[in-house]
Structures are given as structure tokens and as C-alpha cells.
């Protein structure tokens, strides 16, 4: 049995000065190739905030009995305690014999005076000094329990953390000043009430940066920042435009791996909530692109809406029989609203947010039972599912800004008017018809003063209806492909934004 080559404080004097003979001179030294370089992190003394990374290449000494030892040392510590020149940037010093000298990671100091004579190695003594000062380059001791926890939860690198929490953002020509400025065209209207809406006639901006159909557009709800226009597209991106002054794309967000079906601004105008066919929900900071909230759903998202009074709560629906309410403060699911349907097409909160409506695809042969469902927000109970009895689905719902009425866009090429008060009766005397839907998710919107009702059409036109008479005031030939959305600016009168199935966005006045 061979004697130990490393002496401790309580060892005999013979071990301190004794020499060990090497019984077998045919020692095989195996050096790992450069591809097996391990990366080890060392935390400098004085705090865990600063860390340096060294590439460690272990040298393995294997004897005839199959035993091996590995020497891994930080370069700085090795250079401080060894006067010999280092011919390699890695800490690698092979020795012949059964052992290799290993440096300790604890607070020890080692007096090194190694000398090699004809295959023999002089053993050295490790001297412990009770010193409170940490030696530079030495990694602190980690208990076994913490090491096991860290091994089960591998630490992410900085690049992984950036990819998982920060959305890929591309800046436009003036993207650095997204929300800091106030448009000179908007300033004169901020202190006054909204004037009478007029039908726009001329084209101001033509924006065609999207590579796929644009599903939704929305103006920023903050009046001072309402120069920004949000667009969600089937090309997996979300864009923010300066649609008042320049018509340029300010920022592009690539958070989703599939088509983005729905997106909307938060009430503060600093965040964007988006959902798509990748079943992901993302709440993204407009300036930094950081994802404040992310969640994976069991279904593809097709509709999103923030609560009108509780800005931290939103509702999402999609290709599922469930509609879910989320709280972004806790990132937890609040409620689940279940119905015997296959898909939720749109969501609309009624005034004060106590009730909301969902439009679905549940249509039977002669009636559309459960086509529009009214829900109680707090109890998740169904209030009514006998609102719309015709055999058409409703891809879009919109609320009148002043009166207790809402409009449902139908696939029967008309819009129906309903009351927001129970039992949500339909107005059979008014029907806004003349445009075409034909299976597209064509949206409809009221003007801010409530006098006009605007809608897109599958033939690319934009139709303007008088709200009180239900007559067509004007038709605008806006696009060549299906126009799926048309919305008025919340501050500037008669400023209209439209988008189509070809990926084009146009601003009219």
C-alpha cells in the first residue's frame, strides 16, 4: 500500500521530508484534446457581482491500476503561487508518478518548491493560515445541498436570458423617440373637445412594411401619444408606426413564432399585449422590447381585450371553448369562462366592465344559438346566450362611444345594432348593409363622436354609414385586397387608418 504524497498539519516528520519512489516508470499520460475544454466561472472576492470566466483544460494522469487525478486551477492563482514560467495559457502541469499536484479552492496558501529529479516528485505540505482575507481568484466553498440544487436547475447564460425575456426589436428611422415626443399636429387638439367627424377623402401615407396580411390596427389610447399606430400581421411581427407626422415604421417586434392574430395597447400606452397562432401571450414594453408577461396557452389566440377599469386584467379567447381572464401583476389565471363552442371570434367589454360579450362560431341550421354570449365578469356565469338568432357568425363587435348600444358585424354582409342593457335586444329597424364580408374577419368602428359607423369590405372598399339613419354616406376605394379594418383617430378629426389582406396600411384625411 503506497503512502500519501500530501502532508497535513498533523502528519509525521517523516512524511514532510520523505521521498516517494515510483515503482512503474511506464506511466501513460492522457491529455484531453482542445475540444474538451471546460468553462468554469470564478467569482472575485468582494462580491458575487463581478465574475471572470476561464477556460480550464484538465490533465488526466492515469497509472497502470486505472486510477487518475485531474488538475484544474485558475490561471491567476496558479501564477501567484508558482514561480515557474507558464508555457501554456491553460493551467496544465503533468507529473510522472501516481499523483498530480492540485490546488485547493478554499482559503489556503501553498508554499510551492517543487523539484523533479529522475522521475521522482517531492511531496509538499499544505499550510493552513486562519486568515479572513480572501485570495484573489479562489472560488468560495458551496455546500453539497446547494450544488445539487444548482445542478438540477442549470444557470442560464446572459444570452439565453436576453432571448427569453427580451423581444427582438428592430428600430426604424426615428424609433428611438417612440413615445417621448408629442406631434405638432396633435398639440392644438389636446385642450379642446373632439369636433365633428367628416368623411376622409385624400390619401396621406402609404405604409407597406408587412410581408403578410394585417389582422389588426389600433391607435395609441393616450392622447399625447396618439401619433403611434399599432399593427399586427400574419408575418409574425408587430409594428409601431408614426402615422401622423412621417408615416415611418418606428419599431418592429418579433416575439411570436407564428402569425400574430390579435394585439392591443395597454391603457398607459407603454405596453403592447399580443397573441397569436403559436398559442403564446406576450406583454411587451414598447421602448425596451422586454417581455413583462408571457404565457403559453392550450389554444391559438384570436381575440384579446383589456378590462376597461382594471388595467392589469385582460381576457383572451381563441380556438377553444374557454375564455380566460389573466392578471399581469401576478401572472396568474383569474377565471375561466366555458361555453359549448369551438372558437371565440371577438370580445367586447360593456360599460364599467361588469359584463362582457363574446362572439362565437356556434351556428346551427336555422338559428345562431350561442353566437353572442353575455358573461358576468366576476362570477364567470352566463347571463344570456339568446341575443342573436340569425344564422350568421359575428367576426367583430364594437361599442358606441356615447349611447348604450353596440354593433355586431355579421357574415350576412350587414351589421346589426343591439342594446347594452339586458336582455340585449336587437334593433330590428336599423340594419347597416351594402358592404361585403364573405368570410373575412372584417372589423367595424364608430367615430369618436358616434355619428359615423365605418367598416371595411372584402372587395377592398371602405363604407361610411350614418349611425342614426343607417344609410351609406360615402364609399372609399381604399385597397385592392380585402380591407379588414378601418379606425378613426381618437384626437384628430377625420383622420382614418385602414389595412388590408395584402399587408398594406393607409392613412386618409
Amino acid at each position: 500500500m503506497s503512502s500519501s504524497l500530501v502532508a497535513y498539519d498533523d502528519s509525521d516528520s517523516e512524511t514532510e521530508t520523505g521521498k516517494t519512489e515510483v515503482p512503474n516508470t511506464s506511466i501513460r499520460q492522457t491529455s484531453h484534446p482542445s475540444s474538451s475544454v471546460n468553462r468554469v466561472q470564478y467569482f472575485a472576492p468582494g462580491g458575487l457581482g463581478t465574475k471572470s470566466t476561464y477556460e480550464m483544460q484538465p490533465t488526466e494522469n492515469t497509472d497502470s491500476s486505472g486510477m487518475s487525478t485531474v488538475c484544474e486551477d485558475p490561471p491567476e492563482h496558479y501564477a501567484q503561487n508558482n514561480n515557474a514560467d507558464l508555457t501554456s495559457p491553460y493551467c496544465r502541469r503533468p507529473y510522472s508518478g501516481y499523483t498530480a499536484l492540485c490546488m485547493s479552492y478554499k482559503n489556503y496558501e501553498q508554499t510551492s518548491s517543487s523539484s523533479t529529479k529522475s522521475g521522482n516528485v517531492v511531496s509538499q505540505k499544505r499550510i493552513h493560515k486562519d486568515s479572513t482575507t480572501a485570495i484573489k481568484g479562489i472560488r468560495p466553498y458551496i455546500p453539497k445541498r446547494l450544488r445539487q440544487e444548482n445542478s438540477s436547475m442549470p444557470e442560464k447564460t446572459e444570452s439565453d436570458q436576453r432571448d427569453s425575456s427580451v423581444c427582438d426589436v428592430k428600430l426604424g428611422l426615428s424609433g428611438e423617440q417612440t413615445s417621448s415626443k408629442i406631434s405638432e399636429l396633435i398639440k392644438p387638439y389636446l385642450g379642446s373637445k373632439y369636433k365633428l367627424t367628416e368623411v376622409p377623402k385624400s390619401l396621406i401615407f402609404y405604409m407597406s412594411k408587412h410581408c403578410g396580411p394585417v389582422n389588426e390596427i389600433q391607435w395609441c389610447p393616450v392622447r399625447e401619444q396618439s401619433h403611434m399606430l399599432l399593427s399586427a400581421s400574419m408575418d409574425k411581427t408587430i409594428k409601431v408606426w408614426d402615422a401622423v407626422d412621417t408615416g415611418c415604421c418606428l419599431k418592429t417586434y418579433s416575439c411570436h413564432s407564428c402569425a400574430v392574430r390579435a394585439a392591443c395597447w395597454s391603457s398607459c400606452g407603454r405596453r403592447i399585449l399580443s397573441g397569436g397562432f403559436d398559442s403564446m401571450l406576450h406583454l411587451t414594453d414598447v421602448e425596451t422590447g422586454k417581455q413583462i408577461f408571457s404565457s403559453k396557452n392550450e389554444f391559438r389566440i384570436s381575440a384579446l381585450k383589456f378590462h376597461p377599469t382594471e388595467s392589469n386584467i385582460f381576457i383572451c379567447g381563441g380556438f377553444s371553448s374557454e375564455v380566460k381572464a389573466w392578471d399581469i401583476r401576478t401572472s396568474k389565471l383569474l377565471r375561466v369562462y366555458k361555453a359549448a363552442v369551438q372558437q371565440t371570434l371577438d370580445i367586447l367589454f360593456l360599460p364599467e366592465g361588469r359584463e362582457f360579450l363574446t362572439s362565437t362560431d356556434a351556428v346551427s341550421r336555422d338559428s345562431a344559438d350561442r353566437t353572442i354570449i353575455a358573461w358576468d365578469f366576476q362570477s364567470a356565469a352566463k347571463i344570456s346566450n339568446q341575443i342573436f338568432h340569425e344564422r350568421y357568425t359575428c367576426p367583430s363587435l364594437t361599442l358606441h362611444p356615447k349611447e348604450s348600444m353596440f354593433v355586431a358585424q355579421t357574415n350576412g354582409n350587414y351589421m346589426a345594432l343591439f342594446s347594452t342593457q339586458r336582455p340585449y335586444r336587437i334593433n330590428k329597424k336599423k340594419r347597416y348593409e351594402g358592404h361585403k364580408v364573405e368570410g373575412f374577419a372584417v372589423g367595424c368602428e364608430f367615430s369618436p363622436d358616434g355619428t359615423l359607423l365605418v367598416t371595411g369590405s372584402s372587395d377592398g372598399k371602405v363604407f361610411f354609414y350614418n349611425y342614426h339613419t343607417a344609410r351609406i354616406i360615402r364609399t372609399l376605394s381604399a385597397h385592392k385586397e380585402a380591407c379588414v379594418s378601418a379606425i378613426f383617430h381618437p384626437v384628430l378629426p377625420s383622420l382614418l387608418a385602414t389595412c388590408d389582406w395584402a399587408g398594406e396600411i393607409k392613412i386618409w384625411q
Side-chain angles (χ1 to χ4, degrees):
M1 182 175 181
S2 61
S3 60
S4 174
L5 297 180
V6 181
Y8 298 91
D9 293 339
D10 56 348
S11 60
D12 298 334
S13 60
E14 295 179 357
T15 313
E16 298 180 8
T17 57
K19 299 181 180 179
T20 305
E21 295 183 358
V22 181
N24 187 5
T25 59
S26 60
I27 302 300
R28 183 178 60 186
Q29 297 181 357
T30 305
S31 177
H32 288 277
S34 59
S35 61
S36 60
V37 175
N38 298 327
R39 298 189 66 86
V40 182
Q41 292 182 348
Y42 296 94
F43 293 87
L48 297 177
T50 59
K51 61 182 179 180
S52 56
T53 306
Y54 300 96
E55 291 188 354
M56 311 301 297
Q57 181 167 353
T59 300
E60 184 176 328
N61 298 331
T62 309
D63 58 3
S64 58
S65 61
M67 299 177 61
S68 63
T69 57
V70 178
C71 174
E72 295 184 10
D73 296 317
E76 292 184 7
H77 185 63
Y78 191 85
Q80 290 177 358
N81 295 281
N82 295 276
N83 298 325
D85 295 334
L86 296 179
T87 59
S88 172
Y90 307 106
C91 174
R92 183 173 65 184
R93 175 165 294 201
Y95 291 89
S96 59
Y98 279 93
T99 63
L101 184 61
C102 297
M103 309 300 293
S104 174
Y105 287 137
K106 299 181 182 180
N107 294 330
Y108 290 100
E109 286 187 358
Q110 176 179 352
T111 58
S112 173
S113 60
S114 61
S115 61
T116 305
K117 297 182 180 180
S118 64
N120 295 334
V121 179
V122 179
S123 61
Q124 301 177 8
K125 178 180 178 181
R126 233 181 263 156
I127 302 175
H128 171 64
K129 292 183 179 181
D130 296 326
S131 176
T132 58
T133 59
I135 302 175
K136 184 179 181 181
I138 294 182
R139 184 171 60 182
Y141 173 73
I142 301 176
K144 182 178 179 181
R145 178 179 59 82
L146 295 179
R147 290 200 304 268
Q148 292 176 350
E149 293 179 358
N150 293 336
S151 62
S152 61
M153 299 173 58
E155 189 175 319
K156 289 185 177 181
T157 61
E158 294 181 0
S159 61
D160 292 338
Q161 291 177 354
R162 181 174 63 253
D163 293 340
S164 61
S165 61
V166 179
C167 183
D168 185 14
V169 181
K170 295 181 180 180
L171 295 179
L173 297 177
S174 57
E176 296 181 356
Q177 300 177 352
T178 303
S179 60
S180 59
K181 73 165 189 174
I182 300 177
S183 174
E184 295 295 333
L185 297 176
I186 297 177
K187 284 183 180 180
Y189 295 92
L190 293 178
S192 60
K193 294 182 179 180
Y194 187 88
K195 297 181 180 180
L196 183 65
T197 304
E198 296 181 1
V199 177
K201 299 178 181 179
S202 58
L203 177 65
I204 298 178
F205 297 121
Y206 170 78
M207 303 176 292
S208 60
K209 294 288 185 180
H210 281 294
C211 301
V214 179
N215 291 315
E216 192 166 0
I217 54 176
Q218 185 182 12
W219 295 102
C220 182
V222 181
R223 292 171 60 88
E224 293 78 8
Q225 302 172 10
S226 57
H227 64 282
M228 294 188 296
L229 180 70
L230 170 68
S231 63
S233 174
M234 300 288 282
D235 62 0
K236 310 176 186 178
T237 63
I238 304 166
K239 293 183 183 292
V240 175
W241 309 79
D242 184 351
V244 173
D245 295 323
T246 62
C248 296
C249 179
L250 298 177
K251 289 190 178 182
T252 302
Y253 306 91
S254 302
C255 303
H256 294 270
S257 59
C258 293
V260 184
R261 181 61 183 85
C264 59
W265 293 94
S266 63
S267 59
C268 62
R270 297 192 299 267
R271 300 170 182 177
I272 296 174
L273 179 65
S274 60
F277 289 167
D278 57 354
S279 304
M280 289 298 298
L281 286 168
H282 293 303
L283 184 66
T284 307
D285 186 88
V286 176
E287 293 295 336
T288 64
K290 182 179 179 181
Q291 296 175 12
I292 303 171
F293 168 85
S294 293
S295 176
K296 178 74 173 180
N297 282 268
E298 298 84 8
F299 53 86
R300 292 176 291 174
I301 308 298
S302 61
L304 291 171
K305 282 295 185 300
F306 272 105
H307 194 278
T309 59
E310 300 181 28
S311 59
N312 294 308
I313 297 177
F314 70 91
I315 287 182
C316 71
F319 292 79
S320 173
S321 60
E322 297 179 347
V323 176
K324 297 182 178 181
W326 292 85
D327 191 337
I328 60 177
R329 293 167 296 187
T330 60
S331 300
K332 292 184 178 179
L333 186 65
L334 291 180
R335 299 174 193 88
V336 177
Y337 308 84
K338 295 183 179 181
V341 297
Q342 295 181 350
Q343 181 184 356
T344 299
L345 302 178
D346 199 10
I347 300 172
L348 177 67
F349 272 101
L350 298 182
E352 299 180 359
R354 298 176 182 174
E355 302 171 1
F356 69 94
L357 306 172
T358 59
S359 62
T360 68
D361 64 346
V363 178
S364 61
R365 171 183 288 182
D366 298 325
S367 66
D369 182 30
R370 303 183 304 274
T371 299
I372 299 178
I373 303 176
W375 301 85
D376 183 87
F377 176 74
Q378 293 294 336
S379 64
K382 293 179 186 177
I383 300 175
S384 175
N385 60 356
Q386 303 290 328
I387 300 175
F388 186 55
H389 296 281
E390 299 189 25
R391 57 183 181 89
Y392 301 112
T393 57
C394 301
S396 175
L397 303 173
T398 187
L399 188 67
H400 195 277
K402 296 182 178 180
E403 298 182 8
S404 299
M405 306 295 290
F406 74 91
V407 165
Q409 178 82 269
T410 72
N411 274 308
N413 298 331
Y414 68 91
M415 292 180 288
L417 185 64
F418 298 85
S419 172
T420 58
Q421 305 296 326
R422 300 182 187 180
Y424 317 105
R425 296 184 183 276
I426 187 173
N427 189 334
K428 298 181 179 180
K429 297 180 180 181
K430 290 184 180 180
R431 176 176 286 192
Y432 306 87
E433 55 185 346
H435 61 285
K436 298 179 181 180
V437 179
E438 297 178 347
F440 289 93
V442 177
C444 56
E445 192 79 19
F446 281 102
S447 62
D449 59 356
T451 59
L452 296 180
L453 179 60
V454 62
T455 179
S457 180
S458 62
D459 56 4
K461 296 180 180 180
V462 179
F463 286 77
F464 299 91
Y465 293 90
N466 186 300
Y467 165 67
H468 298 285
T469 63
R471 293 180 179 178
I472 298 176
I473 298 176
R474 181 168 297 184
T475 301
L476 182 64
S477 298
H479 300 272
K480 296 180 180 180
E481 298 291 335
C483 179
V484 294
S485 183
I487 54 173
F488 280 101
H489 193 276
V491 177
L492 297 176
S494 307
L495 190 67
L496 182 75
T498 61
C499 65
D500 68 356
W501 200 247
E504 299 176 353
I505 300 173
K506 294 182 180 181
I507 309 298
W508 307 83
Q509 189 175 16

